[in-house]
Amino acid sequence: MPTLIRKGNTYFAEKGSYFEGNVKVDGDFVVPPHTHFWGRLNVTGSLELGPRSSVALEISCRNALIGSQCRVKGPIIAHGDVTILDHASVHSVKAGGKVILRTGVIVGDVTSEDTIIVHGKIKSGNLIGKSMKVLGN
């Protein structure tokens, strides 16, 4: 498994790393661009998944920021907020907080216990939340 660098409660992966199997990080996890996970990703804190990274199975975390052009083939399960940036592809989202979907996102069903905010045109399954805001065209 590639080395993780720890600074306080935050862990950093090396750019372009490949992680085989399931990965569990106790804390926040910052993932640089072009990093790939071939199993589940379980983060007890917040996750920042860098652009063009991928996760083969599910992600579970407190909060998630999914970078542009990422691919997540399993569901994202977050206790808090989830932001999915431009042109990312995600199987589905279940969030306890807000969900923000940016232009060009492809996502299955999205369930939020708070607001779902859509910026621009996306492709999605069902969007279920406390309220819904659509911004842009």
Side-chain angles (χ1 to χ4, degrees):
M1 182 164 117
T3 305
L4 296 181
I5 300 162
R6 181 178 181 180
K7 292 185 181 176
N9 192 37
T10 303
Y11 294 83
F12 299 86
E14 296 175 347
K15 184 178 179 182
S17 297
Y18 287 85
F19 293 83
E20 295 183 25
N22 299 330
V23 175
K24 183 172 196 268
V25 175
D26 289 319
D28 297 333
F29 192 24
V30 178
V31 178
H34 302 283
T35 303
H36 305 283
F37 299 85
W38 300 115
R40 288 178 177 80
L41 180 54
N42 183 347
V43 179
T44 60
S46 295
L47 169 67
E48 292 182 25
L49 189 63
R52 297 182 186 204
S53 294
S54 66
V55 179
L57 297 174
E58 79 179 37
I59 293 174
S60 63
C61 58
R62 187 175 64 228
N63 299 302
L65 173 62
I66 307 301
S68 64
Q69 299 179 4
C70 284
R71 292 192 58 167
V72 180
K73 295 180 181 177
I76 297 174
I77 302 164
H79 299 291
D81 299 339
V82 175
T83 300
I84 303 174
L85 298 180
D86 304 56
H87 305 287
S89 175
V90 176
H91 178 272
S92 62
V93 177
K94 183 174 182 179
K98 264 188 316 198
V99 175
I100 299 173
L101 305 171
R102 298 277 307 167
T103 300
V105 164
I106 299 170
V107 64
D109 293 345
V110 176
T111 304
S112 170
E113 293 180 22
D114 199 344
T115 303
I116 298 174
I117 301 170
V118 178
H119 290 269
K121 187 175 180 181
I122 66 165
K123 292 182 183 177
S124 70
N126 295 320
L127 301 176
I128 301 167
K130 198 176 206 179
S131 65
M132 178 93 154
K133 293 181 183 178
V134 178
L135 309 171
N137 49 359

